[in-house]
Amino acid sequence: MIIGTNSSLLHMKQYLFFAIFIFFFTHHSFAQKEVQSQINAITEKEYPRLEELYKHLHANPELSNMEKNTAASVAKELREAGFVVTENVGGYGVVGVLKNGEGRTILVRADIDGLPVKEETGLPYASKAIVKDDKNTDQPAMHACGHDIHISVMLGTAKAISQLKNQWKGTLVFIGQPAEEKVQGAERMLKDGLYTRFPRPDYCISLHASASLPAGKVGYCPEYSMANVNSVNITVYGEGGHGAYPHTTKDPIVLSAYLITQLQTIVSRQTSPLEPCVVTVGSIHGGSKHNIISNEVKLQLTLRSYSEKVRQNTIESIKKITRGLGIAAGLPESKFPKVEIDNENGYALYNHPELTDKVVKSLKSAIGEQNVEKVPPVMAAEDFGELGKVNPSIPVCMYWLGTVSQEKYDESQSTGLQMPSLHSSLFAPLPEPSIKTGIKTMTKAVFDLLGEGVKKK
Ligand SMILES: [Zn+2]
Ligand SMILES: [Zn+2]
């Protein structure tokens, strides 16, 4: 009897626990679905205006550090979504803040600059713009990196999340970041008080258009996903003279040829094969005529890496190799090759694994597991990662937003022919499915992160 009573009590307890669990589980997933259908409805409602804005931005790109009108559009739209907006933060940076009670602070970033590329897509809203760059030179301009998509998604997200205000608490910081293509904007916004004049975020999230994923899909890559970049200028000096009397000269063209082959050994012989590293000599200019040995040759390099150690080692090696070249050539110290490195910072994007896990859950719940792909890291660079490299550090996560038509994607898969990449004059993202997917996923990610509530001290 006693045993019987105990066991039926146990059964009842188990049943009750199970019922409560089922209730919360179904209630929770019902609430999740409910929020997503609200987000989807707002996205559909806001889209026509956003597409107009997108096409306007696409036809009117502005170059790094010159994004005056683009920034004004971002500021105007954020104000309309209910954000308190400050302009001219670290250049043409825009910061919109929306406070809605106690809770997490989430930063969402869109970069806003175009590239000096002449658009060749033939789209009806293609850019024909010729604009001034920050050195006052006329340049063709194009949103060849999809930053116009990023702006449209962020503004759509601002509209959607502010319309759901009665369902979350916390603070939003939405930023339009200038000069990404020069990897300057993030740092300048930080120096201009992004985290002191405005609320300091618990998380930073962002997306980037992908030229290799179909529209409707998104991709994610935990940990290192984009590389450090350093641009390097090297001037190789010589002692010029007649091409027929080489023994009376120090030929900088021959020295440059040595230099280029030696630079290859930084990756192949000095860096662990398990550590990504790229040293590319992208430009070499020297000499004027067949029979003249010139006084100098100029080279331009790009360096890529993930770890700070590899980045530093590559820079140090370049300094050593160039110095050694000067010694071997018998040049005076004043004529040793001059090496100029554009910045002392590493920009590698490290997607915080825990934050990435959370964001991926939101992405899957927004557009379905089958539309969320894990993708490999790339050696392209982005300065978004800078927003996390502060003390104490802030978790950051950037995911990829597919923009390619499924048809073109399938064709490229079957033929092996490459699709136009980011920065290509032919890059033509599909606006509607890309922007809608961006808004649905970004809004859900922001909403879920806000749902974590006040941070435990
Ligand atoms: Zn770019
Ligand atoms: Zn970009």
Side-chain angles (χ1 to χ4, degrees):
M1 285 293 283
I2 293 167
I3 291 165
T5 315
N6 263 352
S7 98
S8 62
L9 233 159
L10 199 70
H11 274 127
M12 260 179 61
K13 269 187 187 163
Q14 274 177 341
Y15 173 75
L16 203 69
F17 177 76
F18 186 66
I20 290 170
F21 174 77
I22 289 290
F23 173 77
F24 278 111
F25 182 76
T26 49
H27 184 74
H28 178 73
S29 67
F30 176 74
Q32 288 276 319
K33 281 200 180 117
E34 172 60 22
V35 167
Q36 193 59 51
S37 65
Q38 286 176 300
I39 293 172
N40 296 354
I42 300 170
T43 305
E44 295 301 326
K45 190 182 82 198
E46 296 288 343
Y47 182 73
R49 264 205 62 233
L50 285 167
E51 184 176 292
E52 247 175 69
L53 179 75
Y54 167 74
K55 288 181 176 169
H56 173 78
L57 293 170
H58 190 86
N60 296 283
E62 293 173 298
L63 297 173
S64 308
N65 296 317
M66 305 295 285
E67 310 92 335
K68 194 175 173 198
N69 298 327
T70 311
S73 299
V74 173
K76 179 174 165 279
E77 297 287 326
L78 283 176
R79 277 193 190 104
E80 276 176 30
F83 286 67
V84 175
V85 175
T86 308
E87 292 175 75
N88 303 317
V89 180
Y92 286 116
V94 179
V95 181
V97 177
L98 183 64
K99 288 187 181 168
N100 187 31
E102 286 284 298
R104 297 275 156 145
T105 299
I106 317 291
L107 182 144
V108 174
R109 172 269 210 175
D111 39 5
I112 63 173
D113 49 337
L115 283 160
V117 172
K118 191 174 183 312
E119 180 158 358
E120 293 177 313
T121 58
L123 290 167
Y125 51 91
S127 163
K128 296 179 187 73
I130 304 287
V131 296
K132 297 272 183 222
D133 66 12
D134 59 1
K135 294 191 172 67
N136 205 32
T137 310
D138 283 329
Q139 300 273 11
M142 174 185 175
H143 268 297
C145 204
H147 296 182
D148 46 356
I149 294 263
H150 307 172
I151 298 170
S152 309
V153 169
M154 184 179 78
L155 295 175
T157 302
K159 304 245 148 129
I161 198 78
S162 67
Q163 287 173 47
L164 297 171
K165 221 173 150 183
N166 58 352
Q167 298 179 53
W168 57 268
K169 292 220 174 305
T171 299
L172 300 173
V173 181
F174 277 37
I175 67 168
Q177 185 213 298
E180 188 285 322
E181 295 294 356
K182 294 203 165 181
V183 286
Q184 293 171 341
E187 196 179 350
R188 286 185 185 167
M189 287 188 81
L190 287 170
K191 281 198 178 136
D192 200 10
L194 181 60
Y195 293 162
T196 50
R197 290 163 59 196
F198 308 98
R200 192 181 199 276
D202 297 306
Y203 300 118
C204 299
I205 56 174
S206 179
L207 54 69
H208 202 294
S210 161
S212 51
L213 275 175
K217 290 195 187 253
V218 296
Y220 68 95
C221 176
E223 303 184 35
Y224 281 119
S225 68
M226 283 195 180
N228 286 310
V229 57
N230 282 108
S231 298
V232 182
N233 294 317
I234 302 178
T235 309
V236 177
Y237 298 106
E239 286 166 359
H242 199 299
Y245 310 106
H247 56 291
T248 64
T249 70
K250 310 271 185 216
D251 185 347
I253 289 186
V254 173
L255 292 178
S256 300
Y258 279 145
L259 174 61
I260 291 168
T261 47
Q262 279 188 53
L263 290 173
Q264 309 310 309
T265 65
I266 297 175
V267 177
S268 69
R269 288 297 172 270
Q270 295 184 40
T271 309
S272 160
L274 301 176
E275 292 263 27
C277 181
V278 176
V279 176
T280 291
V281 180
S283 162
I284 169 165
H285 285 93
S288 57
K289 198 176 179 296
H290 310 70
N291 59 355
I292 297 174
I293 288 170
S294 64
N295 286 322
E296 62 176 47
V297 172
K298 286 184 181 291
L299 296 95
Q300 295 182 319
L301 284 69
T302 190
L303 315 180
R304 306 292 164 116
S305 58
Y306 285 133
S307 85
E308 188 54 26
K309 201 175 131 217
V310 171
R311 190 181 79 86
Q312 294 284 0
N313 179 60
T314 307
I315 290 172
E316 282 314 305
S317 292
I318 290 173
K319 289 179 181 165
K320 278 185 217 157
I321 289 171
T322 47
R323 193 178 159 75
L325 192 75
I327 295 168
L331 284 161
E333 186 132 5
S334 62
K335 285 192 176 175
F336 283 5
K338 185 169 84 184
V339 179
E340 298 159 299
I341 318 271
D342 69 334
N343 61 60
E344 290 306 315
N345 284 338
Y347 289 96
L349 170 61
Y350 183 78
N351 282 326
H352 189 272
E354 276 169 43
L355 174 61
T356 305
D357 262 3
K358 291 176 191 176
V359 170
V360 168
K361 279 201 186 92
S362 304
L363 301 178
K364 287 180 176 170
S365 86
I367 55 170
E369 204 149 330
Q370 72 284 4
N371 291 317
V372 181
E373 272 179 35
K374 190 172 179 187
V375 297
V378 293
M379 296 310 277
E382 244 285 351
D383 68 357
F384 171 66
E386 281 299 287
L387 299 179
K389 288 177 195 161
V390 287
N391 195 9
S393 66
I394 298 172
V396 307
C397 176
M398 171 182 267
Y399 62 94
W400 291 102
L401 176 70
T403 62
V404 185
S405 84
Q406 188 69 46
E407 211 182 2
K408 285 194 180 141
Y409 176 81
D410 293 341
E411 193 185 299
S412 144
Q413 293 292 99
S414 66
T415 59
L417 290 173
Q418 292 287 324
M419 294 178 285
S421 65
L422 292 173
H423 290 204
S424 155
S425 61
L426 297 170
F427 175 56
L430 280 184
E432 184 164 349
S434 311
I435 294 171
K436 283 183 178 175
T437 304
I439 299 170
K440 289 172 190 174
T441 51
M442 185 60 86
T443 307
K444 188 61 174 23
V446 172
F447 186 88
D448 289 347
L449 290 172
L450 288 164
E452 291 185 354
V454 181
K455 195 172 184 182
K456 287 176 203 89
K457 291 271 152 65

